Amino acid sequence: MPSASQVRPRCFRRSARRQRRALRSTPVGARPVAVLPFVGAGLVFLGAGVLAAGEILSARAARAERAQLGDGPTGDAPSDDGAPGERGTFREVIVVLGYGNPGRRINAVNRWRVDVGLRSRDPQATRSLLVMAGGAVHGEISEAEHMARFARAERGYSGPLVLEDESVTTWQNVRNVLPLLEDADRIVLASDPLHSVRAEGFLRTLRPDLAARLAPAEGNRPGEQILRKPAFIVMGLEGLRRARRDGLLA
């Protein structure tokens, strides 16, 4: 007669087989949720991949912009011929491109774009004009007004500042600020890299002579805006696609 130690394993094996058969006959939705840890881990890896892709593509766009523009004109080499500036002067215009801003408070993207504009200034410039561009697209207060208030009150900017608050598209941003760019030795269109590239393309289409004075914006820093960079990439690529479709890029 088999001992208890011999019977028990067979009983356990039969019980395990019955449990497997019962599990196979149970509808999928009613089975124990043993896959959730794997799903959670997969989502974590997917999210990390999306963020990493945003960082890589944003850095690549910034490098492409700098490769095309170089450092742009700098205050180390002021104009000698009096045009557009007088000898010994170096004038720059920094155009900060606005982002849709519902509500009465400036949103995080527009705060960041103001910072991009401010840090894109050339310390050698003898005159630096800050232009806030963007109308009241999604609210009662224009994007330009939101950004101007923030630059003055929160960032302590006290230099020359002009508002362009009629535009509702990037094309209009660039077109409407053209009169302000005429006397500039250096022009920066400040935003995230792909948005800046699109605006620079619009300037080449509208005024190739002014586009020759472009300098790259400081719109990409590792880890900065990391949660938003994937969205910036998607919107930037779609904006470039539409601009090419509509023949707005030279």
Side-chain angles (χ1 to χ4, degrees), residues 42-54 226:
L43 291 175
V44 169
F45 282 114
L46 177 61
V50 170
L51 296 181
I226 188 170

Side-chain angles (χ1 to χ4, degrees), residues 74-76 78-79 85-92 122-129 160 185:
T74 66
D76 294 329
S79 173
E86 298 175 358
R87 181 179 177 85
T89 67
F90 187 81
R91 302 173 183 175
E92 69 175 1
D122 185 345
Q124 302 298 322
T126 55
R127 184 177 185 274
S128 183
L129 173 64
D185 297 286

Side-chain angles (χ1 to χ4, degrees), residues 15-68:
S15 176
R17 286 196 294 270
R18 285 196 296 269
Q19 289 175 2
R20 287 196 295 269
R21 286 196 295 268
L23 183 61
R24 286 195 294 268
S25 63
T26 303
V28 174
R31 294 181 185 179
V33 189
V35 297
L36 282 182
F38 299 99
V39 172
L43 291 175
V44 169
F45 282 114
L46 177 61
V50 170
L51 296 181
E55 281 287 337
I56 292 169
L57 294 175
S58 182
R60 184 177 297 177
R63 287 195 300 270
E65 180 189 20
R66 190 167 292 276
Q68 184 173 35

Side-chain angles (χ1 to χ4, degrees), residues 3-22:
S3 64
S5 61
Q6 293 173 318
V7 173
R8 189 176 297 114
R10 286 199 295 270
C11 292
F12 287 163
R13 289 196 294 272
R14 286 196 295 271
S15 176
R17 286 196 294 270
R18 285 196 296 269
Q19 289 175 2
R20 287 196 295 269
R21 286 196 295 268

